[in-house]
């Protein structure tokens, strides 16, 4: 009963959608393809309105890289910003980043001008709402943080999520999701009008590798129909708007990792993952939610 009540309070649409299969997402004959390589640890995937993909090499890179949606060419877009683990373009057109290497949250103009929003945090991943509220995970402290649109900082949740990692937002921007790197759940909270979080619960259950107690939930993104895509040790796990597992997309390399996921491309129907030293992409039947 508790789970049903939470579902009603969190989601305004598509509450009782039927389970789907991977046939609803994947295109026959369209496998993962390597689109960029030669890095150490790709992360921080995000996109702009034109569908260009941006990413970082958190362990060995120099800054923010761009995969052009039209040409497929990869370039270093902004230099001198090593160690970014979470990245998104906000409603003001700036990048917002978890500058993990420097333990701070920053905003970056497209020309590379940096504003420090918060220092002294072991930040991992972030999401920015259309209203300008920024949420980020701090994995070691089990905290979910909020930086409001007027730059006030709050600890929005603490001590519940086991190593919070990936974070994303619902299409109506009334629900926040965070994956557990050290557990098996994707948590959900209601976003109140002032940006604060209420009603946090372990809402979805990720499948676990055999013999393990952690799914290694990592990067997350939201699809246009409201489904949440989460990278895990088993692959990209998909959850519908009622919190049910809708399928698992296998990793590009069986023994490799996937740690970040995003939709991009001119029609936002290319699914990309960061997997170790490479970025992989594949065309899919669904599109990403480009509101976050």
């Amino acid at each position: 009963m508790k789970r049903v009540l939470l579902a009603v309070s969190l989601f305004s649409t598509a509450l009782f959608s039927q389970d789907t299969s991977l046939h609803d997402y994947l295109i026959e004959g369209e496998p993962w393809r390597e689109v960029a390589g030669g890095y150490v640890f790709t992360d921080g995937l995000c996109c702009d309105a034109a569908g260009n993909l941006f990413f970082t090499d958190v362990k060995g890179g120099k800054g923010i890289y761009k995969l052009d949606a039209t040409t497929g060419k990869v370039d270093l877009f902004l230099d001198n910003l090593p160690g970014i683990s979470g990245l998104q373009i906000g409603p003001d057109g700036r990048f917002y980043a978890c500058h993990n290497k420097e333990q701070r949250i920053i905003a970056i103009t497209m020309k590379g001008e940096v504003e420090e929003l918060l220092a002294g945090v072991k930040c991992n991943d972030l999401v920015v709402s259309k209203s300008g509220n920024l949420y980020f995970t701090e994995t070691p402290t089990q905290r979910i943080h909020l930086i409001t649109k007027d730059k006030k900082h709050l600890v929005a949740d603490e001590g519940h999520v086991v190593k919070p990692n990936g974070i994303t937002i619902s299409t109506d921007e009334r629900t926040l999701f965070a994956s557990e790197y050290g557990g098996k759940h994707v948590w959900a909270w209601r976003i109140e009008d002032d940006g604060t979080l209420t009603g946090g619960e372990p809402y979805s259950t990720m499948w676990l590798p055999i013999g393990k107690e952690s799914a290694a939930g990592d990067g997350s993104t939201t699809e246009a129909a409201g489904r949440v895509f989460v990278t895990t040790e088993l692959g990209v796990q998909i959850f519908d708007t009622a919190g049910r597992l809708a399928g698992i997309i296998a990793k590009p390399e069986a023994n490799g990792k996937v740690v970040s996921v995003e939709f991009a491309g001119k029609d936002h129907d290319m699914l990309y993952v960061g997997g170790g030293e490479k970025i992989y992409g594949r065309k899919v039947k669904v599109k990403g939610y480009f509101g976050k």
Side-chain angles (χ1 to χ4, degrees):
M1 178 62 72
K2 186 176 183 181
R3 186 178 178 88
V4 173
L5 290 175
L6 178 64
V8 173
S9 69
L10 288 177
F11 298 101
S12 60
T13 59
L15 280 173
F16 304 107
S17 61
Q18 296 297 311
D19 285 339
T20 55
S21 72
L22 290 182
H23 294 292
D24 297 295
Y25 306 98
L26 303 184
I27 299 171
E28 187 175 354
E30 287 285 343
W32 291 113
R33 292 184 172 88
E34 180 184 336
V35 297
Y39 305 96
V40 179
F41 194 90
T42 54
D43 205 350
L45 275 61
C46 74
C47 71
D48 63 12
N52 299 305
L53 181 76
F54 299 88
F55 64 94
T56 67
D57 180 358
V58 69
K59 292 185 178 180
K62 300 171 65 178
I64 298 172
Y65 299 87
K66 175 185 176 182
L67 171 64
D68 190 279
T70 302
T71 66
K73 184 179 179 182
V74 178
D75 288 306
L76 180 62
F77 184 73
L78 290 177
D79 203 350
N80 300 316
L81 287 166
I84 289 174
S85 60
L87 189 67
Q88 191 192 320
I89 298 173
D92 60 357
R94 294 192 294 176
F95 288 108
Y96 287 83
C98 290
H99 200 184
N100 186 278
K101 181 180 177 67
E102 302 295 332
Q103 298 191 5
R104 62 179 184 165
I105 301 293
I106 57 176
I108 316 159
T109 69
M110 292 294 163
K111 295 181 179 180
E113 300 159 329
V114 175
E115 178 187 1
E116 184 175 273
L117 303 177
L118 185 66
V121 286
K122 297 177 181 179
C123 48
N124 187 309
D125 199 4
L126 58 74
V127 67
V128 185
S129 71
K130 287 186 290 188
S131 63
N133 290 321
L134 183 155
Y135 302 90
F136 72 90
T137 54
E138 191 177 21
T139 306
T141 64
Q142 295 186 274
R143 289 175 176 172
I144 310 295
H145 294 256
L146 163 64
I147 300 176
T148 65
K149 55 188 175 183
D150 53 0
K151 301 182 182 179
K152 294 179 181 177
H153 170 238
L154 303 168
V155 175
D157 189 270
E158 182 176 10
H160 298 112
V161 188
V162 183
K163 295 184 179 180
N165 196 314
I167 192 166
T168 191
I169 199 168
S170 62
T171 54
D172 64 3
E173 306 224 332
R174 301 300 299 190
T175 307
L176 186 76
F177 302 96
S179 64
E180 290 184 328
Y181 190 79
K184 62 181 181 180
H185 295 115
V186 177
W187 281 66
W189 298 261
R190 178 176 175 81
I191 300 174
E192 302 296 343
D193 291 341
D194 62 358
T196 58
L197 305 179
T198 59
E201 293 284 350
Y203 193 67
S204 298
T205 301
M206 297 177 281
W207 275 30
L208 304 176
I210 294 173
K212 295 192 177 182
E213 297 182 356
S214 169
D218 210 316
S220 307
T221 194
T222 306
E223 175 243 359
R227 301 177 186 94
V228 173
F229 285 54
V230 182
T231 61
T232 71
E233 189 170 334
L234 291 177
V236 181
Q237 302 197 28
I238 306 169
F239 299 94
D240 67 19
T241 54
R244 300 171 298 198
L245 181 69
I248 303 175
I249 302 176
K251 296 178 290 185
E253 297 182 12
N255 296 322
K257 288 182 175 290
V258 285
V259 301
S260 187
V261 60
E262 185 60 284
F263 289 92
K266 289 185 289 184
D267 296 317
H268 293 270
D269 61 352
M270 290 292 297
L271 184 67
Y272 291 96
V273 292
E277 63 182 25
K278 300 175 182 178
I279 298 286
Y280 296 90
R282 67 189 302 163
K283 188 175 178 65
V284 291
K285 295 179 181 179
V286 297
K287 298 183 179 183
Y289 167 55
F290 184 72
K292 61 183 191 58

